[in-house]
Amino acid sequence: MGFTSRAGGNGATTTTTTTQGRSFVAQARQQNEAMQPVASSDPVEIEAMDGQRMTVTFDDVRNFICKEATIAECRIFLETCKQYHLNPFTKEAYLIHYDNKNGDTASTIVLGKTCYMKMAEAHPQYDGFEAGVIVFIPEVGEIIHREGSIVYKGEELVGGWAKTYRKDRSRPFYEEVNFSEYDTKKSLWVTKPATMIRKVALAHTLREAFPATFGGLIDESEVPVEAEADFRELSAEEAAAGAAPTRRRIPKPKKEEPAPLAVEADEVEGDPFANAGTGGDEQ
């Protein structure tokens, strides 16, 4: 890679050539590893949505959730779980690599099966949803949008659709997704394809309806690998030996104090639509 620099005064030009001796990915990973000592490896205390508190270490993440995780990735994952009140040991959140065969691929934080709905229901402006599948009927040459996730014999699954409603919006957030773009031909995509594509469409609308809550998170149905590939259940022997994270039940709040919501306090400030009028919302 070459670049040209101009000297001042006499107008002389000097050309310097630099050769990139290794791939960008390798350089990026080396920089990441160099930054790791800066990241604190102190355990993180997480308050889950079900009222439990647990202290989770970086070793817990590597041993039971993602063995390829770097120190920086462990820190980001645990801080995310802390912010969104997710319990990583009950599969509410995963830390996965898209390519587990090498360490050059950055990890991704993925939400478990029910977390999207739990977090949406905790939002004060959430007002329900509708979702279903898009199927093609060869006999009549027609594509229909059907609520639910049933595909009858002789029909072809084309995609999924969903609407998410907010109390402070006059129109729902609507999305359609193409089945072929998400079908991994593995796991639940083989046994329950209609359920999966419907869930993808719903996750899309929830992100659009609540950007401050779901902006940086994706659902496990949207990733091209098995979310539980690195997740390992805690054996009875390990639990007895104290390998499990430390957990304790939070006392119930007094009646005069409202129970804390899973929604962050800065939800309104971080939501670009929070102060919009009811007539200005669009898809």
Side-chain angles (χ1 to χ4, degrees), residues 37-198:
V38 179
S40 171
S41 59
D42 296 334
V44 175
E45 185 172 296
I46 299 171
E47 179 183 335
M49 285 185 278
D50 63 356
Q52 292 189 70
R53 282 184 180 173
M54 63 200 74
T55 301
V56 188
T57 68
F58 285 23
D59 286 340
D60 290 331
V61 175
R62 288 169 167 169
N63 290 335
F64 305 106
I65 299 168
C66 183
K67 60 181 178 296
E68 301 291 341
T70 64
I71 293 177
E73 290 168 344
C74 288
R75 170 57 63 185
I76 294 172
F77 175 69
L78 292 180
E79 290 297 337
T80 300
C81 289
K82 179 179 179 179
Q83 177 184 354
Y84 292 101
H85 307 288
L86 303 174
N87 184 342
F89 295 98
T90 56
K91 303 180 183 179
E92 290 184 348
Y94 300 94
L95 181 64
I96 64 174
H97 282 265
Y98 283 106
D99 182 5
N100 290 320
K101 294 181 180 179
N102 63 73
D104 291 338
T105 307
S107 61
T108 302
I109 299 174
V110 178
L111 289 186
K113 294 181 177 65
T114 61
C115 280
Y116 256 79
M117 293 311 305
K118 286 182 180 178
M119 294 167 68
E121 289 174 354
H123 196 289
Q125 297 302 331
Y126 176 70
D127 199 27
F129 74 91
E130 297 177 59
V133 293
I134 306 172
V135 299
F136 174 68
I137 306 177
E139 293 182 359
V140 296
E142 182 182 0
I143 291 180
I144 65 171
H145 292 61
R146 178 181 296 145
E147 192 165 2
S149 56
I150 188 170
V151 178
Y152 296 106
K153 185 176 180 180
E155 297 179 341
E156 178 187 348
L157 180 61
V158 177
W161 66 271
K163 294 180 182 179
T164 292
Y165 296 86
R166 285 185 60 139
K167 297 175 182 178
D168 56 351
R169 302 292 185 273
S170 61
R171 300 179 184 176
F173 291 81
Y174 180 78
E175 182 66 86
E176 294 183 7
V177 293
N178 194 321
F179 176 71
S180 63
E181 292 183 4
Y182 292 92
D183 180 19
T184 64
K185 296 179 172 59
K186 298 178 182 179
S187 189
L188 292 178
W189 284 100
V190 176
T191 58
K192 298 180 179 179
T195 299
M196 294 297 285
I197 197 62
R198 174 181 176 273

Side-chain angles (χ1 to χ4, degrees), residues 255-274:
K255 292 184 178 180
E256 64 270 18
E257 298 176 356
L261 293 175
V263 180
E264 289 300 301
D266 62 349
E267 172 66 26
V268 175
E269 297 179 359
D271 191 337
F273 301 107

